[in-house]
Amino acid sequence: MASLLDPRTPKVGSIAAPLRHTVFRRIWLASLFTNLGILIQGVGASWAMTELTSSADNVALVQTALSLPIMLIAIPAGAIADMYDRRSVMLAALSIALCGATALTSIEWLGLTTPNLLLVLCFIVGSGMALMSPAWQSSVAAQVPAETLAAAVALNGISYNIARSFGPAVGGIIVATAGGAAAFATSVFLYLPLLPALFLWKPVVERSRLPREHFNRAMVSGARYIVNSPSIKIVLARTVTTAIASGSIQALMPLVARDLLHGGAQTYGIMLGAFGLGAVVGSLNIDKIRKCMSSEAAVRVCTLSMSGAVAVFAISQSAILTAAALVLVGAVSTIVWTLFNIGVQLSAPRWVTGRSVAAWQATLSGGFAIGSWGWGRLTDTIGIEATLLVSAAMMLFLPLFGHWLPMPRITERSEDAGTLADPKLRLPLTYRSGPVVVELEYRVNSKNARAFHNVMLDVQLYRQRNGAYGWSIARDVVDPELWTERYHCPTWLDYLRQRNRWTRADRDLDERAMAFHIGPDPVRIRRMLERPFGSVRRNHVSDHPTREL
């Protein structure tokens, strides 16, 4: 632990490299306390539910109530994180979580807790954290240099897992000795250090020369980017299947402590602590894992290991054996989630990072929420041992997805390629003018036609990721060397956004397409207004006029 907190210069490629940076180190330490508070609160809520009801369904719903908000509001939260100052978003979200935790403390102290009220307040706390998480995750790139981003993402996971290694045990002790109200009050106290850490951070905000997107359009833009990004879609698909299969672990752990190990809140806390200890071990070794094997190989090995450990977890009657199995589960599951998280963050450029991270978190939490509910219902029917064995069997099949959807090979983040100059115009336009039709004419040697067409299919994806609609590529039947690429943008402003959202990878792909062009003249580009009189104001007056160049 001391080596993690030592600000002396570690190697850039090491897991501790981001801690050299004061802002990241300060927020990371404060987040450690916040995560500790979240886990203590979760222990208190889960155990409070076991005292209120004997239904496994209701006990599992505590995890669903905490996870479901991320699935429901993650995409809007991601859009908010990309549209507004992320520090302000984090402060507002933390305030919501504080209010929910304070209310939870009060009703438990007054003895007014009911199963439904407990779930509602857990949902409110989860909503605050759901709003904060995309801004928190996507702000990492503003706190550390690009070369340490992957390590910073892993360190955020370590922050949570260090808390998880002893937070649940502390929560179990607090619940056992002082009751649920004390656990909830402790969580409120531990949320507080993050407030000054965020206030002291003064991020450099890059002001765009274009106006901010409207909220609805921002969500559509984020969804469009994800739908047209093969690498992100693969990670999301692998995330949801893994989350559903492994959701039984966290959801049923209170019942394992009570029914299989015949323990109390303290036993439950110790089991969660063993899981968290394994998570820390996994987080500390993620850098070594990434260097010695591919992401796909690591995910396969980890899911198979998780399957075997859950099977042991199911049949064990010994607290020591169960704790050992949970250490392994914690290590391998953390490696899997960190690899998925890194895959999404490295696949997304800065302008859509919040929405991409939010989509991943929504997928992860949605998988956990569905899995928790499903495993809870199954437990009521066939019992906890059989349910865990079914879960372990399902995990055995997860590596098969690697044959159909292999993890993308990504080594560095998709960085912006720079701002393009506005096109020179003779027709005065407003930002609202449109639709805009763009045509590019290429001359391609007939022997290169197939290779050119294949490259253009990749060009289609990046155009559509960045805002183009109705993309097509056509070949002239009279002049076979002539190819025409065509797409639409709803307005002139959308076209300007689309031009300035490309990454270095997009630029390289564009250069590959241009390299097929032959002839003395460059690729011809036409930009046309589809409604030339209905969409240009008579006096050319606009709140956001374009420059006449």
Side-chain angles (χ1 to χ4, degrees), residues 477-492:
V477 296
V478 176
D479 184 1
E481 288 188 341
L482 181 62
W483 293 73
T484 302
E485 178 191 5
R486 180 185 175 94
Y487 62 88
H488 295 71
C489 292
T491 66
W492 183 249

Side-chain angles (χ1 to χ4, degrees), residues 249-285:
I249 302 167
Q250 292 282 7
L252 302 179
M253 206 176 295
L255 300 179
V256 170
R258 187 188 69 182
D259 298 339
L260 296 185
L261 301 179
H262 308 291
Q266 190 169 356
T267 302
Y268 172 52
I270 291 172
M271 293 302 105
L272 287 176
F275 185 90
L277 178 61
V280 173
V281 172
S283 296
L284 291 175
N285 287 281

Side-chain angles (χ1 to χ4, degrees), residues 443-463:
R443 283 209 163 269
V444 180
N445 192 307
S446 295
K447 67 180 182 180
N448 295 326
R450 174 64 63 182
F452 173 73
H453 183 263
N454 291 339
V455 170
M456 293 307 294
L457 293 180
D458 292 331
V459 170
Q460 173 189 9
L461 289 177
Y462 105 69
R463 300 266 198 233

